[in-house]
Amino acid sequence: MARSRREALLLGLASAGGLAAPAQSASRTPIAKTGRPGVEGQRRADLGDGSYLNPVLSGDRPDPNILKDGDDYYAVFSSFLYYPGAVVWRSRDLVNWTPVGPALKTPLGSVWALDIAKHDGRYFIYIPVLVASSAEGLPFKLYVVHADSMDGPWSEPVDMGIDGYIDPGHAVGEDGRRYLFLNDGHRAPITADGLRGDGPVEKVYGGWPIPDDWVIEAFAPEGPKILRRGGWFYLFSGQGGTAGPPTSHMVVVARSRSIHGPWENCPHNPIIRTTSIDEPWWSRGHATPIQGPAGDWWFAYHGYENGFRTLGRQMLLAPFEWTADGWPKALGGDLSRPLPKPKGASMDKVADQRGVALSDDLRRDVLGAKLAFYAPADGYLERARFGDDGLVLEGQGKGPADSSPLAFIAGDRSYEVTIDLEIQGAGQGGLLLFYNDKLFCGVGAEAGRLRAYKMGVEQTYPSPGAMEGRRLTLRVVNDENVASFFIRQGDGAWRRIVSYEVAGYNHNMADGFVSLRPALFASGEGRTVFRSLSYRALERGAKVVSRRT
């Protein structure tokens, strides 16, 4: 029987180092076009002609929160169980972004939607942490880190003494008192220094009544953001649930003359929502309103890409205007087409904000800005040593599941990752596509043998085969959620080990709110040395020829 085109192409990659992507099936659900390529072929929002195409930050950028500080914009995202976490990003135009560095290195638990604030010249990041889960519910604690600059250094996390709530939104009332608005319409007063709760948590807003026949995940008022403008306090919230059905999430707004209410819902709520499974972006919500460089207004929010939930919730940008009666009106439509970029940005510093190269020789520390450990234990930073020989990663656990892999965020629909590795001692090292400790696939190597993993379980059929020695090169090609793993030793030819379909490696199948990420792991006794990490985005219809390693 003749091989399928995909089969032939992947076998060609194994011998020639390239991949030509097949034409999209006409029966497939339409998806948004991609932006023009940036570094390493990664998709880039800025089209270079005064317009941009969403996402402005591809890959897993959930619950975006934006702070405008002079000419600069800063963003942070939920980092969940990845550490170093709470990575700060900087932009001048809301479209081109670059990482500044992590604000949180101490493992606390799962970090959910954060909030950045500037008050009296000092910077704060409010951090809700899921410290455990139990039959009684989800026990959260609220922490804060603070600094003199968004570049850091950041303080150690401070326990605010506010427990059981998520999604803080900093606000200052008409009397100058500071508050954190929280999920489910709650509000907590905080001390003047912004570091602790200062009174009981109260319910102050009941949300917008969602029609009974709408297909949503849950009522779930969350992500409150307060904007003061024109004598009004505006309260922007997410509702409907952040995942589940494509039509679940939405953005609603209410306003009040006082920080204490009463809150009046907008007559044309929701102001943002996915209404059809045919749209390019699903579950759009959790918006931050932000003023552009020229004084116009924008929403930064997240959404799942149609057909690519594995990439996580990506950051989207859309303009809005104020109506004559003082309500915000979104203008971006379904975000399927390019939109004019925000005007008025100071162009200095913009050139270096057009993405970050994921390829790295691994000789210098890139933790936080690129790589992060999944669910690490205390002292995790001592496991990784960067130097002239590359990254030396001490083994942990018995296999990939409990090894606390080092992962990075990929934002392309198709890509290849290649890594050189050397096994030292009686351990295992390898390359994964990792969702969480129960859901991953990939290949591990140890002295004389290979191991293959699918759905978080070691596979014996088909057999991954053997290898010679302790040095090898591994590669994964993720071609629109079909992942193929390859091995090469020395100057020999590439050999394909196994291929898996990974579209189901996402939150709707496995919970956790994260994304499917390329990851390096070292387990058992001994260590693994990783060298020459190479990432290359693959555009449909273009053949990409890889470098030798």
Side-chain angles (χ1 to χ4, degrees), residues 9 21 54 77 91 104 109 111 146 161 188 216 222 254 282 317-318 325 335 353 355 414 426 443 450 465 476 481:
L9 290 168
N54 278 295
F77 310 91
S91 176
L104 182 63
V111 172
H146 53 95
I216 61 170
E222 60 189 13
W282 292 350
L317 182 73
D325 56 354
L335 308 188
Q353 293 179 357
S414 298
V443 173
L450 297 172
V476 59
N481 290 325

Side-chain angles (χ1 to χ4, degrees), residues 60-76:
D60 199 28
R61 320 290 176 183
D63 308 312
N65 177 240
I66 312 290
L67 171 70
K68 186 179 191 304
D69 186 32
D71 291 334
D72 290 310
Y73 297 88
Y74 295 96
V76 290

Side-chain angles (χ1 to χ4, degrees), residues 202-216:
E202 302 174 287
K203 178 139 185 164
V204 296
Y205 173 59
W208 178 74
I210 300 174
D212 290 340
D213 59 345
W214 285 19
V215 180
I216 61 170

Side-chain angles (χ1 to χ4, degrees), residues 4 40 66 93 107 167 210 215 222 265 278 322-323 356 366 382 408 410 413 421 442 453 483 507 514 520 522 543:
S4 70
E40 303 169 316
I66 312 290
D93 62 0
D167 293 14
I210 300 174
V215 180
E222 60 189 13
N265 277 313
D278 296 325
W322 294 95
T323 62
V356 57
V366 291
E382 299 176 4
F408 64 88
R413 298 171 185 165
L421 61 156
Y453 300 91
H507 168 78
V514 286
L520 314 175
K543 185 171 183 177

Side-chain angles (χ1 to χ4, degrees), residues 121-403:
R122 191 155 189 80
Y123 299 87
F124 303 82
I125 301 179
Y126 293 98
I127 305 173
V129 175
L130 175 62
V131 293
S133 60
S134 69
E136 288 74 37
L138 300 176
F140 285 91
K141 296 185 74 65
L142 198 57
Y143 292 86
V144 60
V145 295
H146 53 95
D148 294 327
S149 164
M150 287 298 292
D151 292 328
W154 293 91
S155 73
E156 283 296 305
V158 176
D159 185 345
M160 298 189 71
I162 302 173
D163 298 343
Y165 297 92
I166 59 172
D167 293 14
H170 181 267
V172 178
E174 60 267 35
D175 57 358
R177 192 172 186 190
R178 300 176 69 175
Y179 298 90
L180 291 180
F181 281 71
L182 304 163
N183 65 301
D184 199 29
H186 289 86
R187 188 191 67 186
I190 61 175
T191 54
D193 63 6
L195 301 182
R196 287 177 175 80
D198 192 30
V201 176
E202 302 174 287
K203 178 139 185 164
V204 296
Y205 173 59
W208 178 74
I210 300 174
D212 290 340
D213 59 345
W214 285 19
V215 180
I216 61 170
E217 184 180 34
F219 182 50
E222 60 189 13
K225 302 299 172 192
I226 296 289
L227 171 69
R228 192 174 185 183
R229 178 183 184 272
W232 292 96
F233 289 91
Y234 289 87
L235 171 56
F236 295 84
S237 301
Q239 287 189 197
T242 193
T247 54
S248 57
H249 215 18
M250 64 192 76
V251 179
V252 302
V253 61
R255 69 183 182 186
S256 171
R257 291 292 186 184
S258 169
I259 198 73
H260 305 296
W263 295 95
E264 169 197 5
N265 277 313
C266 175
H268 50 268
N269 274 335
I271 55 176
I272 295 171
R273 183 188 176 223
T274 301
T275 60
S276 167
I277 197 172
D278 296 325
E279 291 184 27
W281 293 100
W282 292 350
S283 299
R284 293 187 289 152
H286 203 106
T288 298
I290 195 76
Q291 197 164 21
D296 49 358
W297 289 90
W298 299 82
F299 282 126
Y301 57 93
H302 65 209
Y304 284 105
E305 190 168 3
N306 187 334
F308 293 91
R309 286 189 185 272
T310 50
L311 294 178
R313 291 166 292 171
Q314 306 181 57
M315 189 168 92
L316 311 173
L317 182 73
F320 75 91
E321 65 181 6
W322 294 95
T323 62
D325 56 354
W327 291 106
K329 179 182 179 182
L331 301 175
D334 66 3
L335 308 188
S336 61
R337 292 182 293 274
L339 296 166
K341 282 180 57 182
K343 299 183 184 301
S346 173
M347 292 309 293
D348 62 313
K349 298 185 182 179
V350 171
D352 65 349
Q353 293 179 357
R354 292 176 177 167
V356 57
L358 296 174
S359 298
D360 202 279
D361 60 14
L362 300 179
R363 294 180 178 179
R364 57 188 178 84
D365 191 336
V366 291
L367 295 179
K370 292 184 184 180
L371 295 172
F373 284 96
Y374 178 83
D378 291 340
Y380 70 98
L381 293 173
E382 299 176 4
R383 287 188 60 209
R385 300 191 302 276
F386 296 85
D388 291 341
D389 199 36
L391 165 61
V392 180
L393 186 60
E394 296 292 333
Q396 174 182 296
K398 297 181 180 180
D402 56 357
S403 70

